[in-house]
Amino acid sequence: TQSTWGIRHCLLFSSHLMKLLSVVLYKWQEDAPLALASGFELSSFSFFQRKVVREHLTFASRTICGRTHPGQRSTVTLENNIGQCHVYVPPSGIACAAITDNEYPQRVVFSMMAELVRIFCEQHPPRTFDGASADLALDFPPLQDYLARYQNPMEADKLMKVQKDLDEVRDIVTKSIDQVLARGETLDSLMQKSNDLSSVSVDFYRRAKKTNQCCQLY
């Protein structure tokens, strides 16, 4: 049944493979970034699981991106160690968020995000999204290409000839999901207000939390 599965279970089932689950490009706005292009790799989940998984990944990405300020890079470990959300917000205001498992190399994912932001800015000048007040689905083929290519981070690193000095990742702010929440906030309250989650997804989180199942997403 739905209450007996979860992202953590699926990640552990094939833990020998590092996973890149999602990549989203945003027009950065504090607390409520607007998605401009997104890609998901959910083939490790059953067809019936994917909608709920996608909604929770979208919720985590948008929430953490909106709490990462321009000029910052951050990595937030999601609750129960089911994975990490990496966010890059350059001064341009075009942000990128990627969710991976805990083993995915931090240097590689931030190199990928920086490259995607650079290409996106070349292909989509600000006039294509400046007036947006809701999420867009702009045509950006490199996103799916990179999402597929970076499923194997070691091969992608070699293929793309990413020669980044480790010093470049020293300024990444590492946090837990609890540290992202403002004083008095809870995930429950954020989920209630989020447009990214259906009632089914919110109910799934509550039931998993109540029964203390390993399938908890957060």
Side-chain angles (χ1 to χ4, degrees):
T1 64
Q2 189 179 46
S3 62
T4 61
W5 62 268
I7 288 182
R8 185 167 185 265
H9 172 76
C10 291
L11 290 178
L12 291 175
F13 181 73
S14 54
S15 58
H16 62 289
L17 296 175
M18 286 180 277
K19 291 182 179 293
L20 173 62
L21 295 173
S22 65
V23 181
V24 185
L25 286 154
Y26 291 101
K27 174 186 177 184
W28 189 86
Q29 297 176 171
E30 189 169 11
D31 290 332
L34 298 180
L36 301 176
S38 59
F40 297 84
E41 171 44 59
L42 304 179
S43 60
S44 58
F45 302 95
S46 77
F47 175 80
F48 298 103
Q49 296 170 350
R50 291 175 192 172
K51 182 177 185 296
V52 170
V53 172
R54 180 174 177 140
E55 288 182 1
H56 279 281
L57 294 176
T58 300
F59 167 75
S61 294
R62 194 191 307 270
T63 300
I64 294 167
C65 181
R67 292 160 189 241
T68 302
H69 297 295
Q72 289 186 342
R73 291 182 289 186
S74 66
T75 292
V76 175
T77 300
L78 303 178
E79 204 166 275
N80 289 338
N81 276 328
I82 62 97
Q84 295 180 322
C85 180
H86 311 273
V87 177
Y88 170 53
V89 187
S92 67
I94 300 302
C96 188
I99 293 184
T100 69
D101 64 5
N102 290 324
E103 285 70 41
Y104 201 97
Q106 193 180 54
R107 178 178 65 85
V108 176
V109 73
F110 276 99
S111 296
M112 178 200 70
M113 291 193 293
E115 186 69 4
L116 280 173
V117 168
R118 182 188 67 78
I119 298 171
F120 182 87
C121 289
E122 289 177 353
Q123 296 187 6
H124 291 282
R127 66 175 180 273
T128 61
F129 53 80
D130 264 352
S133 57
D135 288 349
L136 301 176
L138 298 177
D139 184 41
F140 187 50
L143 180 55
Q144 293 299 331
D145 177 43
Y146 274 56
L147 185 62
R149 187 178 298 173
Y150 275 81
Q151 289 304 316
N152 183 339
M154 300 312 170
E155 188 61 31
D157 200 20
K158 187 194 314 177
L159 183 64
M160 300 302 293
K161 296 182 172 61
V162 180
Q163 300 294 334
K164 300 291 185 181
D165 189 336
L166 288 177
D167 288 344
E168 293 188 19
V169 298
R170 285 181 180 171
D171 60 345
I172 296 172
V173 178
T174 303
K175 301 178 179 179
S176 68
I177 189 65
D178 289 335
Q179 291 173 305
V180 173
L181 302 175
R183 184 181 297 274
E185 274 187 330
T186 64
L187 278 172
D188 297 72
S189 64
L190 285 179
M191 288 179 176
Q192 276 297 113
K193 295 184 289 185
S194 174
N195 293 323
D196 292 325
L197 297 170
S198 64
S199 58
V200 172
S201 291
V202 174
D203 183 56
F204 160 72
Y205 166 76
R206 286 177 172 170
R207 285 187 287 113
K209 183 178 180 181
K210 184 176 180 180
T211 58
N212 197 30
Q213 296 282 345
C214 69
C215 61
Q216 291 179 359
L217 176 59
Y218 298 100

